[in-house]
Amino acid sequence: MTHYPHSFKRFTIAASLCVATALSPLPALAQAVVQDGIKVRPLSSTRMFAGGVDFNEQSKQQYTQLVNEAKEKNALVPDSDPQVKRLRAIAQRIIPFATRWNEAAASWNWQVNLLNSDQVNAFCMPGGQIAFYSGIITKLNLTDDEVAIVMGHEISHALREHSQAQAGKGNLAAVGAKLAGAGLSAWLGVDPNITGTATNMAAQGVMLKFSRDDEREADLIGMDLAARAGFDPRAGVILWQKMAALNKGAPPEFLSTHPSGKDRISQMNSHMAQVLPLYARSKGVSVNDLPAYRSNGVASR
């Protein structure tokens, strides 16, 4: 075991205390409530530090620019393409259930487009603008159920206003880190640049944690949306098994804004008893009568 000088131990303990104190308002943003059997943070908390920015309008402009640029580069898959029709059909089944998680979604200008790119990615901007990259469909050989899980997850980020929350928390974390660094510097009598580096690193760790929490929340709400729309929530487990096989070089969970695949699968399985009855009800059968889930294999790369 490595032995550190007493002054270093005092420094690290003080840094932890200062950062914890300076960032103490942040946990207030995460006071959870239970909605539809899922623990979530109320939307009011995500808006607290967003500064009145109209994220929906900004996102609409950015999405329009993205689509126009994709058209110019012949990277926008045309409306007539079967995959585009497939994505839009799945979205049309999911969107009616969006207002359960954010009433404002009833007035969103929902759009769905497919971009011709090898990236394994998809997103939904604040306000309901959805884009899939062709790579996520082809490389993972997604079934409709698996597409619905991805789409439900991305829609959930928009519904729970995670972009707004991250912007607000990021501002607060930066202020907290600055205050903590200044206080620690004065207490130890050392260069504020040194203590600032330590507290900034601590603040970044807090923000990574927030991002992982958002991902976990989106996973569960995405399963709920998919199940209510008649898509098998068990597809989520298969999806993340596929993702894990594709991302063997992913960083450790504590250094990532996303939970590990193993963590996500465990959480999904722990909530399966809540969402499977929703899926069974959409099919007009009992849970016991549901057939085993069957997935396509991962397409060869």
Side-chain angles (χ1 to χ4, degrees):
M1 179 179 293
T2 304
H3 294 278
Y4 296 101
H6 178 71
S7 60
F8 181 82
K9 292 180 180 178
R10 185 179 68 171
F11 172 86
T12 54
I13 293 171
S16 299
L17 290 173
C18 284
V19 172
T21 301
L23 301 184
S24 59
L26 290 174
L29 295 176
Q31 295 297 318
V33 297
V34 176
Q35 180 176 329
D36 290 344
I38 299 173
K39 187 180 289 186
V40 296
R41 284 160 292 177
L43 290 176
S44 58
S45 71
T46 71
R47 299 163 181 163
M48 193 179 303
F49 296 98
V53 177
D54 189 343
F55 279 79
N56 287 12
E57 184 58 33
Q58 285 188 356
S59 296
K60 181 180 178 181
Q61 294 173 7
Q62 292 170 359
Y63 187 83
T64 300
Q65 182 179 348
L66 172 69
V67 170
N68 289 338
E69 290 178 356
K71 279 182 182 178
E72 292 175 4
K73 298 176 181 178
N74 294 319
L76 182 68
V77 181
D79 296 346
S80 59
D81 188 273
Q83 289 287 18
V84 175
K85 292 181 178 180
R86 176 191 182 204
L87 290 174
R88 290 175 179 173
I90 291 171
Q92 286 304 310
R93 289 171 58 180
I94 293 174
I95 289 170
F97 299 97
T99 53
R100 297 183 69 88
W101 298 99
N102 188 332
E103 292 181 358
S107 61
W108 285 1
N109 179 29
W110 292 92
Q111 298 180 54
V112 184
N113 282 292
L114 177 63
L115 305 178
N116 188 13
S117 169
D118 284 340
Q119 290 188 51
V120 179
N121 204 0
F123 63 82
C124 178
M125 287 185 164
Q129 292 83 35
I130 301 168
F132 268 65
Y133 292 84
S134 56
I136 195 170
I137 298 173
T138 57
K139 290 186 178 182
L140 298 180
N141 199 15
L142 298 181
T143 65
D144 286 358
D145 293 309
E146 290 157 10
V147 168
I149 292 293
V150 173
M151 191 176 292
H153 173 96
E154 299 303 332
I155 288 174
S156 297
H157 280 308
L159 293 175
R160 302 311 298 171
E161 301 179 356
H162 289 160
S163 295
Q164 293 91 318
Q166 287 299 320
K169 293 170 191 171
N171 291 336
L172 185 59
V175 172
K178 187 173 183 179
L179 291 174
L184 186 60
S185 173
W187 185 64
L188 292 177
V190 298
D191 185 345
N193 290 328
I194 298 175
T195 54
T197 298
T199 51
N200 281 334
M201 290 176 65
Q204 289 170 13
V206 171
M207 294 312 300
L208 288 176
K209 175 63 164 60
F210 281 130
S211 296
R212 292 193 294 269
D213 286 345
D214 287 348
E215 290 297 324
R216 294 186 181 100
E217 186 174 273
D219 280 346
L220 295 183
I221 296 174
M223 288 174 65
D224 175 270
L225 291 171
R228 291 179 188 277
F231 297 100
D232 196 329
R234 293 172 295 183
V237 173
I238 303 301
L239 171 68
W240 286 106
Q241 288 173 347
K242 290 182 175 182
M243 289 291 287
L246 202 64
N247 296 307
K248 292 181 179 178
E253 180 179 351
F254 68 91
L255 291 178
S256 173
T257 58
H258 288 61
S260 68
K262 182 178 180 181
D263 178 49
R264 301 179 96 138
I265 289 171
S266 176
Q267 178 185 240
M268 287 181 170
N269 279 327
S270 69
H271 284 76
M272 204 61 71
Q274 293 173 227
V275 291
L276 269 179
L278 300 175
Y279 171 59
R281 188 171 65 196
S282 74
K283 297 297 182 184
V285 300
S286 70
V287 172
N288 293 333
D289 291 332
L290 289 173
Y293 179 70
R294 293 183 177 276
S295 171
N296 300 329
V298 178
S300 58
R301 300 176 62 186

